[in-house]
PDB file of all heavy atoms in Angstrom:
ATOM      1  N   MET Z  29      -4.010  23.568  19.045  1.00  0.00           N
ATOM      2  CA  MET Z  29      -4.136  22.332  18.288  1.00  0.00           C
ATOM      3  C   MET Z  29      -5.283  22.428  17.288  1.00  0.00           C
ATOM      4  O   MET Z  29      -5.146  22.007  16.134  1.00  0.00           O
ATOM      5  CB  MET Z  29      -4.373  21.155  19.237  1.00  0.00           C
ATOM      6  CG  MET Z  29      -4.488  19.793  18.545  1.00  0.00           C
ATOM      7  SD  MET Z  29      -4.859  18.461  19.688  1.00  0.00           S
ATOM      8  CE  MET Z  29      -6.537  18.888  20.165  1.00  0.00           C
ATOM      9  N   THR Z  30      -6.389  22.993  17.717  1.00  0.00           N
ATOM     10  CA  THR Z  30      -7.537  23.157  16.824  1.00  0.00           C
ATOM     11  C   THR Z  30      -7.183  24.050  15.645  1.00  0.00           C
ATOM     12  O   THR Z  30      -7.535  23.774  14.493  1.00  0.00           O
ATOM     13  CB  THR Z  30      -8.725  23.757  17.593  1.00  0.00           C
ATOM     14  OG1 THR Z  30      -9.063  22.894  18.686  1.00  0.00           O
ATOM     15  CG2 THR Z  30      -9.938  23.908  16.691  1.00  0.00           C
ATOM     16  N   SER Z  31      -6.484  25.146  15.942  1.00  0.00           N
ATOM     17  CA  SER Z  31      -6.072  26.061  14.890  1.00  0.00           C
ATOM     18  C   SER Z  31      -5.121  25.375  13.909  1.00  0.00           C
ATOM     19  O   SER Z  31      -5.235  25.554  12.697  1.00  0.00           O
ATOM     20  CB  SER Z  31      -5.391  27.289  15.507  1.00  0.00           C
ATOM     21  OG  SER Z  31      -4.919  28.155  14.506  1.00  0.00           O
ATOM     22  N   ALA Z  32      -4.181  24.568  14.441  1.00  0.00           N
ATOM     23  CA  ALA Z  32      -3.232  23.856  13.583  1.00  0.00           C
ATOM     24  C   ALA Z  32      -3.945  22.843  12.696  1.00  0.00           C
ATOM     25  O   ALA Z  32      -3.620  22.694  11.516  1.00  0.00           O
ATOM     26  CB  ALA Z  32      -2.167  23.166  14.435  1.00  0.00           C
ATOM     27  N   LEU Z  33      -4.936  22.151  13.269  1.00  0.00           N
ATOM     28  CA  LEU Z  33      -5.680  21.165  12.484  1.00  0.00           C
ATOM     29  C   LEU Z  33      -6.473  21.841  11.367  1.00  0.00           C
ATOM     30  O   LEU Z  33      -6.534  21.336  10.238  1.00  0.00           O
ATOM     31  CB  LEU Z  33      -6.625  20.373  13.400  1.00  0.00           C
ATOM     32  CG  LEU Z  33      -5.966  19.355  14.325  1.00  0.00           C
ATOM     33  CD1 LEU Z  33      -7.001  18.764  15.288  1.00  0.00           C
ATOM     34  CD2 LEU Z  33      -5.312  18.239  13.520  1.00  0.00           C
ATOM     35  N   GLU Z  34      -7.077  22.990  11.680  1.00  0.00           N
ATOM     36  CA  GLU Z  34      -7.833  23.710  10.663  1.00  0.00           C
ATOM     37  C   GLU Z  34      -6.906  24.191   9.554  1.00  0.00           C
ATOM     38  O   GLU Z  34      -7.254  24.153   8.369  1.00  0.00           O
ATOM     39  CB  GLU Z  34      -8.557  24.900  11.296  1.00  0.00           C
ATOM     40  CG  GLU Z  34      -9.382  25.723  10.304  1.00  0.00           C
ATOM     41  CD  GLU Z  34     -10.442  24.909   9.588  1.00  0.00           C
ATOM     42  OE1 GLU Z  34     -10.925  23.904  10.159  1.00  0.00           O
ATOM     43  OE2 GLU Z  34     -10.796  25.291   8.451  1.00  0.00           O
ATOM     44  N   SER Z  35      -5.700  24.646   9.949  1.00  0.00           N
ATOM     45  CA  SER Z  35      -4.724  25.073   8.950  1.00  0.00           C
ATOM     46  C   SER Z  35      -4.341  23.916   8.047  1.00  0.00           C
ATOM     47  O   SER Z  35      -4.222  24.075   6.824  1.00  0.00           O
ATOM     48  CB  SER Z  35      -3.485  25.643   9.645  1.00  0.00           C
ATOM     49  OG  SER Z  35      -2.495  25.986   8.700  1.00  0.00           O
ATOM     50  N   GLN Z  36      -4.152  22.726   8.632  1.00  0.00           N
ATOM     51  CA  GLN Z  36      -3.808  21.554   7.833  1.00  0.00           C
ATOM     52  C   GLN Z  36      -4.947  21.162   6.893  1.00  0.00           C
ATOM     53  O   GLN Z  36      -4.706  20.741   5.760  1.00  0.00           O
ATOM     54  CB  GLN Z  36      -3.462  20.378   8.751  1.00  0.00           C
ATOM     55  CG  GLN Z  36      -2.120  20.513   9.448  1.00  0.00           C
ATOM     56  CD  GLN Z  36      -0.982  20.636   8.468  1.00  0.00           C
ATOM     57  OE1 GLN Z  36      -0.886  19.872   7.520  1.00  0.00           O
ATOM     58  NE2 GLN Z  36      -0.107  21.616   8.690  1.00  0.00           N
ATOM     59  N   ARG Z  37      -6.197  21.300   7.353  1.00  0.00           N
ATOM     60  CA  ARG Z  37      -7.343  21.003   6.485  1.00  0.00           C
ATOM     61  C   ARG Z  37      -7.353  21.954   5.279  1.00  0.00           C
ATOM     62  O   ARG Z  37      -7.605  21.530   4.150  1.00  0.00           O
ATOM     63  CB  ARG Z  37      -8.650  21.140   7.265  1.00  0.00           C
ATOM     64  CG  ARG Z  37      -8.872  20.067   8.325  1.00  0.00           C
ATOM     65  CD  ARG Z  37     -10.288  20.117   8.845  1.00  0.00           C
ATOM     66  NE  ARG Z  37     -10.476  19.252   9.994  1.00  0.00           N
ATOM     67  CZ  ARG Z  37     -10.441  19.672  11.255  1.00  0.00           C
ATOM     68  NH1 ARG Z  37     -10.251  20.966  11.512  1.00  0.00           N
ATOM     69  NH2 ARG Z  37     -10.612  18.835  12.251  1.00  0.00           N
ATOM     70  N   LYS Z  38      -7.105  23.234   5.535  1.00  0.00           N
ATOM     71  CA  LYS Z  38      -7.082  24.208   4.445  1.00  0.00           C
ATOM     72  C   LYS Z  38      -5.964  23.885   3.460  1.00  0.00           C
ATOM     73  O   LYS Z  38      -6.153  23.961   2.243  1.00  0.00           O
ATOM     74  CB  LYS Z  38      -6.900  25.617   5.006  1.00  0.00           C
ATOM     75  CG  LYS Z  38      -8.115  26.148   5.753  1.00  0.00           C
ATOM     76  CD  LYS Z  38      -7.858  27.548   6.282  1.00  0.00           C
ATOM     77  CE  LYS Z  38      -9.083  28.084   7.018  1.00  0.00           C
ATOM     78  NZ  LYS Z  38      -8.840  29.444   7.579  1.00  0.00           N
ATOM     79  N   LEU Z  39      -4.779  23.519   3.991  1.00  0.00           N
ATOM     80  CA  LEU Z  39      -3.658  23.177   3.116  1.00  0.00           C
ATOM     81  C   LEU Z  39      -3.966  21.921   2.311  1.00  0.00           C
ATOM     82  O   LEU Z  39      -3.581  21.803   1.144  1.00  0.00           O
ATOM     83  CB  LEU Z  39      -2.387  22.970   3.942  1.00  0.00           C
ATOM     84  CG  LEU Z  39      -1.734  24.243   4.480  1.00  0.00           C
ATOM     85  CD1 LEU Z  39      -0.561  23.891   5.395  1.00  0.00           C
ATOM     86  CD2 LEU Z  39      -1.259  25.135   3.355  1.00  0.00           C
ATOM     87  N   ARG Z  40      -4.681  20.959   2.944  1.00  0.00           N
ATOM     88  CA  ARG Z  40      -5.022  19.721   2.236  1.00  0.00           C
ATOM     89  C   ARG Z  40      -5.985  20.023   1.080  1.00  0.00           C
ATOM     90  O   ARG Z  40      -5.841  19.493  -0.019  1.00  0.00           O
ATOM     91  CB  ARG Z  40      -5.636  18.716   3.200  1.00  0.00           C
ATOM     92  CG  ARG Z  40      -5.798  17.307   2.608  1.00  0.00           C
ATOM     93  CD  ARG Z  40      -6.357  16.337   3.616  1.00  0.00           C
ATOM     94  NE  ARG Z  40      -5.491  16.208   4.770  1.00  0.00           N
ATOM     95  CZ  ARG Z  40      -5.801  16.632   5.999  1.00  0.00           C
ATOM     96  NH1 ARG Z  40      -6.952  17.236   6.225  1.00  0.00           N
ATOM     97  NH2 ARG Z  40      -4.971  16.482   6.991  1.00  0.00           N
ATOM     98  N   ARG Z  41      -6.972  20.882   1.366  1.00  0.00           N
ATOM     99  CA  ARG Z  41      -7.906  21.256   0.299  1.00  0.00           C
ATOM    100  C   ARG Z  41      -7.181  21.999  -0.810  1.00  0.00           C
ATOM    101  O   ARG Z  41      -7.435  21.790  -1.996  1.00  0.00           O
ATOM    102  CB  ARG Z  41      -9.040  22.118   0.871  1.00  0.00           C
ATOM    103  CG  ARG Z  41     -10.028  21.352   1.751  1.00  0.00           C
ATOM    104  CD  ARG Z  41     -11.286  22.159   1.995  1.00  0.00           C
ATOM    105  NE  ARG Z  41     -11.021  23.358   2.772  1.00  0.00           N
ATOM    106  CZ  ARG Z  41     -11.111  23.415   4.100  1.00  0.00           C
ATOM    107  NH1 ARG Z  41     -11.448  22.334   4.778  1.00  0.00           N
ATOM    108  NH2 ARG Z  41     -10.871  24.539   4.742  1.00  0.00           N
ATOM    109  N   ARG Z  42      -6.264  22.879  -0.414  1.00  0.00           N
ATOM    110  CA  ARG Z  42      -5.485  23.611  -1.419  1.00  0.00           C
ATOM    111  C   ARG Z  42      -4.603  22.649  -2.204  1.00  0.00           C
ATOM    112  O   ARG Z  42      -4.416  22.818  -3.412  1.00  0.00           O
ATOM    113  CB  ARG Z  42      -4.650  24.685  -0.729  1.00  0.00           C
ATOM    114  CG  ARG Z  42      -3.799  25.501  -1.685  1.00  0.00           C
ATOM    115  CD  ARG Z  42      -3.110  26.646  -0.974  1.00  0.00           C
ATOM    116  NE  ARG Z  42      -4.050  27.703  -0.619  1.00  0.00           N
ATOM    117  CZ  ARG Z  42      -3.686  28.842  -0.024  1.00  0.00           C
ATOM    118  NH1 ARG Z  42      -2.423  29.044   0.287  1.00  0.00           N
ATOM    119  NH2 ARG Z  42      -4.587  29.756   0.260  1.00  0.00           N
ATOM    120  N   LEU Z  43      -4.058  21.633  -1.514  1.00  0.00           N
ATOM    121  CA  LEU Z  43      -3.227  20.631  -2.182  1.00  0.00           C
ATOM    122  C   LEU Z  43      -4.016  19.931  -3.281  1.00  0.00           C
ATOM    123  O   LEU Z  43      -3.550  19.796  -4.418  1.00  0.00           O
ATOM    124  CB  LEU Z  43      -2.724  19.603  -1.165  1.00  0.00           C
ATOM    125  CG  LEU Z  43      -2.268  18.241  -1.717  1.00  0.00           C
ATOM    126  CD1 LEU Z  43      -1.044  18.415  -2.609  1.00  0.00           C
ATOM    127  CD2 LEU Z  43      -1.990  17.270  -0.600  1.00  0.00           C
ATOM    128  N   ILE Z  44      -5.218  19.488  -2.946  1.00  0.00           N
ATOM    129  CA  ILE Z  44      -6.042  18.780  -3.932  1.00  0.00           C
ATOM    130  C   ILE Z  44      -6.318  19.681  -5.130  1.00  0.00           C
ATOM    131  O   ILE Z  44      -6.218  19.269  -6.279  1.00  0.00           O
ATOM    132  CB  ILE Z  44      -7.360  18.317  -3.287  1.00  0.00           C
ATOM    133  CG1 ILE Z  44      -7.064  17.252  -2.210  1.00  0.00           C
ATOM    134  CG2 ILE Z  44      -8.307  17.737  -4.342  1.00  0.00           C
ATOM    135  CD1 ILE Z  44      -8.275  16.878  -1.367  1.00  0.00           C
ATOM    136  N   SER Z  45      -6.644  20.948  -4.842  1.00  0.00           N
ATOM    137  CA  SER Z  45      -6.927  21.890  -5.928  1.00  0.00           C
ATOM    138  C   SER Z  45      -5.682  22.141  -6.773  1.00  0.00           C
ATOM    139  O   SER Z  45      -5.731  22.123  -8.006  1.00  0.00           O
ATOM    140  CB  SER Z  45      -7.440  23.210  -5.342  1.00  0.00           C
ATOM    141  OG  SER Z  45      -7.584  24.177  -6.354  1.00  0.00           O
ATOM    142  N   ASP Z  46      -4.537  22.351  -6.116  1.00  0.00           N
ATOM    143  CA  ASP Z  46      -3.309  22.678  -6.839  1.00  0.00           C
ATOM    144  C   ASP Z  46      -2.810  21.506  -7.669  1.00  0.00           C
ATOM    145  O   ASP Z  46      -2.430  21.664  -8.833  1.00  0.00           O
ATOM    146  CB  ASP Z  46      -2.210  23.110  -5.865  1.00  0.00           C
ATOM    147  CG  ASP Z  46      -2.427  24.520  -5.351  1.00  0.00           C
ATOM    148  OD1 ASP Z  46      -3.261  25.237  -5.927  1.00  0.00           O
ATOM    149  OD2 ASP Z  46      -1.757  24.904  -4.389  1.00  0.00           O
ATOM    150  N   VAL Z  47      -2.777  20.302  -7.067  1.00  0.00           N
ATOM    151  CA  VAL Z  47      -2.284  19.139  -7.795  1.00  0.00           C
ATOM    152  C   VAL Z  47      -3.205  18.826  -8.972  1.00  0.00           C
ATOM    153  O   VAL Z  47      -2.751  18.493 -10.065  1.00  0.00           O
ATOM    154  CB  VAL Z  47      -2.141  17.924  -6.861  1.00  0.00           C
ATOM    155  CG1 VAL Z  47      -1.822  16.665  -7.660  1.00  0.00           C
ATOM    156  CG2 VAL Z  47      -1.034  18.165  -5.843  1.00  0.00           C
ATOM    157  N   SER Z  48      -4.527  18.966  -8.745  1.00  0.00           N
ATOM    158  CA  SER Z  48      -5.474  18.746  -9.832  1.00  0.00           C
ATOM    159  C   SER Z  48      -5.205  19.717 -10.974  1.00  0.00           C
ATOM    160  O   SER Z  48      -5.182  19.335 -12.152  1.00  0.00           O
ATOM    161  CB  SER Z  48      -6.900  18.917  -9.320  1.00  0.00           C
ATOM    162  OG  SER Z  48      -7.836  18.812 -10.377  1.00  0.00           O
ATOM    163  N   HIS Z  49      -4.983  20.984 -10.625  1.00  0.00           N
ATOM    164  CA  HIS Z  49      -4.707  21.985 -11.657  1.00  0.00           C
ATOM    165  C   HIS Z  49      -3.386  21.696 -12.353  1.00  0.00           C
ATOM    166  O   HIS Z  49      -3.285  21.776 -13.593  1.00  0.00           O
ATOM    167  CB  HIS Z  49      -4.662  23.380 -11.017  1.00  0.00           C
ATOM    168  CG  HIS Z  49      -4.346  24.478 -11.991  1.00  0.00           C
ATOM    169  ND1 HIS Z  49      -3.054  24.894 -12.241  1.00  0.00           N
ATOM    170  CD2 HIS Z  49      -5.150  25.233 -12.771  1.00  0.00           C
ATOM    171  CE1 HIS Z  49      -3.079  25.863 -13.140  1.00  0.00           C
ATOM    172  NE2 HIS Z  49      -4.333  26.094 -13.468  1.00  0.00           N
ATOM    173  N   GLU Z  50      -2.357  21.349 -11.573  1.00  0.00           N
ATOM    174  CA  GLU Z  50      -1.034  21.097 -12.146  1.00  0.00           C
ATOM    175  C   GLU Z  50      -1.051  19.880 -13.063  1.00  0.00           C
ATOM    176  O   GLU Z  50      -0.245  19.788 -13.991  1.00  0.00           O
ATOM    177  CB  GLU Z  50      -0.010  20.900 -11.027  1.00  0.00           C
ATOM    178  CG  GLU Z  50       0.303  22.151 -10.235  1.00  0.00           C
ATOM    179  CD  GLU Z  50       0.976  23.228 -11.073  1.00  0.00           C
ATOM    180  OE1 GLU Z  50       1.766  22.880 -11.969  1.00  0.00           O
ATOM    181  OE2 GLU Z  50       0.693  24.415 -10.848  1.00  0.00           O
ATOM    182  N   LEU Z  51      -1.937  18.937 -12.809  1.00  0.00           N
ATOM    183  CA  LEU Z  51      -2.048  17.762 -13.681  1.00  0.00           C
ATOM    184  C   LEU Z  51      -2.930  18.052 -14.889  1.00  0.00           C
ATOM    185  O   LEU Z  51      -2.596  17.681 -16.015  1.00  0.00           O
ATOM    186  CB  LEU Z  51      -2.621  16.579 -12.899  1.00  0.00           C
ATOM    187  CG  LEU Z  51      -1.708  15.926 -11.855  1.00  0.00           C
ATOM    188  CD1 LEU Z  51      -2.488  14.899 -11.056  1.00  0.00           C
ATOM    189  CD2 LEU Z  51      -0.501  15.271 -12.515  1.00  0.00           C
ATOM    190  N   ASN Z  52      -4.050  18.709 -14.655  1.00  0.00           N
ATOM    191  CA  ASN Z  52      -5.018  18.918 -15.732  1.00  0.00           C
ATOM    192  C   ASN Z  52      -4.513  19.865 -16.818  1.00  0.00           C
ATOM    193  O   ASN Z  52      -4.768  19.641 -18.011  1.00  0.00           O
ATOM    194  CB  ASN Z  52      -6.334  19.469 -15.169  1.00  0.00           C
ATOM    195  CG  ASN Z  52      -7.211  18.372 -14.594  1.00  0.00           C
ATOM    196  OD1 ASN Z  52      -7.254  17.278 -15.135  1.00  0.00           O
ATOM    197  ND2 ASN Z  52      -7.903  18.662 -13.504  1.00  0.00           N
ATOM    198  N   THR Z  53      -3.806  20.910 -16.419  1.00  0.00           N
ATOM    199  CA  THR Z  53      -3.356  21.892 -17.416  1.00  0.00           C
ATOM    200  C   THR Z  53      -2.435  21.278 -18.464  1.00  0.00           C
ATOM    201  O   THR Z  53      -2.711  21.382 -19.669  1.00  0.00           O
ATOM    202  CB  THR Z  53      -2.681  23.089 -16.733  1.00  0.00           C
ATOM    203  OG1 THR Z  53      -3.633  23.727 -15.857  1.00  0.00           O
ATOM    204  CG2 THR Z  53      -2.195  24.098 -17.756  1.00  0.00           C
ATOM    205  N   PRO Z  54      -1.335  20.607 -18.073  1.00  0.00           N
ATOM    206  CA  PRO Z  54      -0.481  20.019 -19.119  1.00  0.00           C
ATOM    207  C   PRO Z  54      -1.166  18.893 -19.883  1.00  0.00           C
ATOM    208  O   PRO Z  54      -0.948  18.733 -21.093  1.00  0.00           O
ATOM    209  CB  PRO Z  54       0.740  19.501 -18.342  1.00  0.00           C
ATOM    210  CG  PRO Z  54       0.302  19.391 -16.940  1.00  0.00           C
ATOM    211  CD  PRO Z  54      -0.733  20.447 -16.734  1.00  0.00           C
ATOM    212  N   LEU Z  55      -2.015  18.116 -19.218  1.00  0.00           N
ATOM    213  CA  LEU Z  55      -2.718  17.050 -19.917  1.00  0.00           C
ATOM    214  C   LEU Z  55      -3.664  17.632 -20.975  1.00  0.00           C
ATOM    215  O   LEU Z  55      -3.793  17.082 -22.077  1.00  0.00           O
ATOM    216  CB  LEU Z  55      -3.496  16.182 -18.922  1.00  0.00           C
ATOM    217  CG  LEU Z  55      -2.653  15.273 -18.028  1.00  0.00           C
ATOM    218  CD1 LEU Z  55      -3.529  14.588 -16.998  1.00  0.00           C
ATOM    219  CD2 LEU Z  55      -1.899  14.246 -18.850  1.00  0.00           C
ATOM    220  N   SER Z  56      -4.307  18.742 -20.651  1.00  0.00           N
ATOM    221  CA  SER Z  56      -5.194  19.382 -21.621  1.00  0.00           C
ATOM    222  C   SER Z  56      -4.412  19.906 -22.816  1.00  0.00           C
ATOM    223  O   SER Z  56      -4.844  19.775 -23.972  1.00  0.00           O
ATOM    224  CB  SER Z  56      -5.954  20.538 -20.952  1.00  0.00           C
ATOM    225  OG  SER Z  56      -6.795  20.063 -19.919  1.00  0.00           O
ATOM    226  N   VAL Z  57      -3.248  20.504 -22.540  1.00  0.00           N
ATOM    227  CA  VAL Z  57      -2.420  21.018 -23.635  1.00  0.00           C
ATOM    228  C   VAL Z  57      -1.952  19.878 -24.526  1.00  0.00           C
ATOM    229  O   VAL Z  57      -1.983  19.970 -25.758  1.00  0.00           O
ATOM    230  CB  VAL Z  57      -1.212  21.798 -23.072  1.00  0.00           C
ATOM    231  CG1 VAL Z  57      -0.249  22.172 -24.201  1.00  0.00           C
ATOM    232  CG2 VAL Z  57      -1.679  23.057 -22.342  1.00  0.00           C
ATOM    233  N   ILE Z  58      -1.502  18.774 -23.904  1.00  0.00           N
ATOM    234  CA  ILE Z  58      -1.036  17.617 -24.677  1.00  0.00           C
ATOM    235  C   ILE Z  58      -2.164  17.082 -25.556  1.00  0.00           C
ATOM    236  O   ILE Z  58      -1.963  16.750 -26.731  1.00  0.00           O
ATOM    237  CB  ILE Z  58      -0.499  16.523 -23.737  1.00  0.00           C
ATOM    238  CG1 ILE Z  58       0.813  16.982 -23.095  1.00  0.00           C
ATOM    239  CG2 ILE Z  58      -0.280  15.205 -24.494  1.00  0.00           C
ATOM    240  CD1 ILE Z  58       1.310  16.073 -21.993  1.00  0.00           C
ATOM    241  N   GLN Z  59      -3.376  17.001 -24.987  1.00  0.00           N
ATOM    242  CA  GLN Z  59      -4.515  16.508 -25.759  1.00  0.00           C
ATOM    243  C   GLN Z  59      -4.824  17.424 -26.933  1.00  0.00           C
ATOM    244  O   GLN Z  59      -5.046  16.958 -28.063  1.00  0.00           O
ATOM    245  CB  GLN Z  59      -5.738  16.400 -24.856  1.00  0.00           C
ATOM    246  CG  GLN Z  59      -6.965  15.823 -25.563  1.00  0.00           C
ATOM    247  CD  GLN Z  59      -8.168  15.705 -24.628  1.00  0.00           C
ATOM    248  OE1 GLN Z  59      -8.325  16.515 -23.721  1.00  0.00           O
ATOM    249  NE2 GLN Z  59      -8.989  14.702 -24.846  1.00  0.00           N
ATOM    250  N   LEU Z  60      -4.813  18.730 -26.703  1.00  0.00           N
ATOM    251  CA  LEU Z  60      -5.103  19.683 -27.777  1.00  0.00           C
ATOM    252  C   LEU Z  60      -4.035  19.627 -28.869  1.00  0.00           C
ATOM    253  O   LEU Z  60      -4.350  19.694 -30.067  1.00  0.00           O
ATOM    254  CB  LEU Z  60      -5.197  21.093 -27.204  1.00  0.00           C
ATOM    255  CG  LEU Z  60      -6.435  21.394 -26.347  1.00  0.00           C
ATOM    256  CD1 LEU Z  60      -6.298  22.759 -25.696  1.00  0.00           C
ATOM    257  CD2 LEU Z  60      -7.698  21.315 -27.186  1.00  0.00           C
ATOM    258  N   GLU Z  61      -2.779  19.505 -28.459  1.00  0.00           N
ATOM    259  CA  GLU Z  61      -1.707  19.424 -29.450  1.00  0.00           C
ATOM    260  C   GLU Z  61      -1.831  18.146 -30.281  1.00  0.00           C
ATOM    261  O   GLU Z  61      -1.630  18.167 -31.511  1.00  0.00           O
ATOM    262  CB  GLU Z  61      -0.340  19.470 -28.754  1.00  0.00           C
ATOM    263  CG  GLU Z  61      -0.013  20.792 -28.085  1.00  0.00           C
ATOM    264  CD  GLU Z  61       0.160  21.918 -29.075  1.00  0.00           C
ATOM    265  OE1 GLU Z  61       0.542  21.655 -30.240  1.00  0.00           O
ATOM    266  OE2 GLU Z  61      -0.109  23.075 -28.706  1.00  0.00           O
ATOM    267  N   ALA Z  62      -2.163  17.041 -29.631  1.00  0.00           N
ATOM    268  CA  ALA Z  62      -2.320  15.773 -30.357  1.00  0.00           C
ATOM    269  C   ALA Z  62      -3.500  15.844 -31.324  1.00  0.00           C
ATOM    270  O   ALA Z  62      -3.424  15.362 -32.458  1.00  0.00           O
ATOM    271  CB  ALA Z  62      -2.506  14.622 -29.369  1.00  0.00           C
ATOM    272  N   GLN Z  63      -4.596  16.468 -30.881  1.00  0.00           N
ATOM    273  CA  GLN Z  63      -5.755  16.619 -31.760  1.00  0.00           C
ATOM    274  C   GLN Z  63      -5.428  17.522 -32.955  1.00  0.00           C
ATOM    275  O   GLN Z  63      -5.825  17.246 -34.093  1.00  0.00           O
ATOM    276  CB  GLN Z  63      -6.938  17.193 -30.974  1.00  0.00           C
ATOM    277  CG  GLN Z  63      -7.544  16.211 -29.990  1.00  0.00           C
ATOM    278  CD  GLN Z  63      -8.611  16.861 -29.123  1.00  0.00           C
ATOM    279  OE1 GLN Z  63      -8.710  18.082 -29.047  1.00  0.00           O
ATOM    280  NE2 GLN Z  63      -9.411  16.034 -28.457  1.00  0.00           N
ATOM    281  N   GLY Z  64      -4.700  18.606 -32.687  1.00  0.00           N
ATOM    282  CA  GLY Z  64      -4.307  19.495 -33.773  1.00  0.00           C
ATOM    283  C   GLY Z  64      -3.397  18.806 -34.768  1.00  0.00           C
ATOM    284  O   GLY Z  64      -3.511  19.024 -35.987  1.00  0.00           O
ATOM    285  N   LEU Z  65      -2.514  17.953 -34.268  1.00  0.00           N
ATOM    286  CA  LEU Z  65      -1.620  17.200 -35.148  1.00  0.00           C
ATOM    287  C   LEU Z  65      -2.415  16.212 -35.993  1.00  0.00           C
ATOM    288  O   LEU Z  65      -2.199  16.087 -37.208  1.00  0.00           O
ATOM    289  CB  LEU Z  65      -0.572  16.462 -34.305  1.00  0.00           C
ATOM    290  CG  LEU Z  65       0.479  15.642 -35.050  1.00  0.00           C
ATOM    291  CD1 LEU Z  65       1.299  16.528 -35.983  1.00  0.00           C
ATOM    292  CD2 LEU Z  65       1.388  14.939 -34.049  1.00  0.00           C
ATOM    293  N   ARG Z  66      -3.385  15.528 -35.380  1.00  0.00           N
ATOM    294  CA  ARG Z  66      -4.226  14.562 -36.091  1.00  0.00           C
ATOM    295  C   ARG Z  66      -5.058  15.232 -37.174  1.00  0.00           C
ATOM    296  O   ARG Z  66      -5.213  14.711 -38.279  1.00  0.00           O
ATOM    297  CB  ARG Z  66      -5.145  13.847 -35.099  1.00  0.00           C
ATOM    298  CG  ARG Z  66      -6.049  12.792 -35.727  1.00  0.00           C
ATOM    299  CD  ARG Z  66      -7.163  12.426 -34.756  1.00  0.00           C
ATOM    300  NE  ARG Z  66      -7.997  13.596 -34.449  1.00  0.00           N
ATOM    301  CZ  ARG Z  66      -8.896  13.620 -33.466  1.00  0.00           C
ATOM    302  NH1 ARG Z  66      -9.063  12.570 -32.691  1.00  0.00           N
ATOM    303  NH2 ARG Z  66      -9.619  14.715 -33.256  1.00  0.00           N
ATOM    304  N   ASP Z  67      -5.556  16.440 -36.857  1.00  0.00           N
ATOM    305  CA  ASP Z  67      -6.442  17.133 -37.793  1.00  0.00           C
ATOM    306  C   ASP Z  67      -5.682  18.021 -38.782  1.00  0.00           C
ATOM    307  O   ASP Z  67      -6.303  18.752 -39.564  1.00  0.00           O
ATOM    308  CB  ASP Z  67      -7.449  17.985 -37.019  1.00  0.00           C
ATOM    309  CG  ASP Z  67      -8.350  17.137 -36.121  1.00  0.00           C
ATOM    310  OD1 ASP Z  67      -8.511  15.943 -36.425  1.00  0.00           O
ATOM    311  OD2 ASP Z  67      -8.869  17.682 -35.128  1.00  0.00           O
ATOM    312  N   GLY Z  68      -4.366  17.975 -38.743  1.00  0.00           N
ATOM    313  CA  GLY Z  68      -3.566  18.762 -39.665  1.00  0.00           C
ATOM    314  C   GLY Z  68      -3.525  20.242 -39.349  1.00  0.00           C
ATOM    315  O   GLY Z  68      -3.179  21.056 -40.220  1.00  0.00           O
ATOM    316  N   LEU Z  69      -3.882  20.620 -38.117  1.00  0.00           N
ATOM    317  CA  LEU Z  69      -3.885  22.022 -37.730  1.00  0.00           C
ATOM    318  C   LEU Z  69      -2.577  22.445 -37.064  1.00  0.00           C
ATOM    319  O   LEU Z  69      -2.400  23.625 -36.735  1.00  0.00           O
ATOM    320  CB  LEU Z  69      -5.046  22.295 -36.760  1.00  0.00           C
ATOM    321  CG  LEU Z  69      -6.443  21.956 -37.285  1.00  0.00           C
ATOM    322  CD1 LEU Z  69      -7.484  22.168 -36.195  1.00  0.00           C
ATOM    323  CD2 LEU Z  69      -6.761  22.811 -38.519  1.00  0.00           C
TER     324      LEU Z  69
END
């Protein structure tokens, strides 16, 4: 049970990291594209 709980904690931490990355990457690209469009680049 202890091992399973530790595994779940690791997966939860990985989840936070992965979801954050999966959200931040496209949002950053969208922001850069919008800025480039605004600045005529």
Side-chain angles (χ1 to χ4, degrees):
M29 181 183 68
T30 301
S31 177
L33 287 173
E34 180 58 28
S35 176
Q36 287 301 312
R37 291 191 189 98
K38 289 180 179 178
L39 286 174
R40 190 178 300 112
R41 289 194 295 268
R42 180 174 287 182
L43 159 65
I44 294 171
S45 174
D46 284 347
V47 172
S48 175
H49 178 269
E50 291 295 325
L51 288 173
N52 279 323
T53 299
L55 288 174
S56 297
V57 172
I58 290 171
Q59 183 179 32
L60 289 172
E61 293 294 332
Q63 289 174 344
L65 181 60
R66 181 195 61 192
D67 298 336
L69 302 176

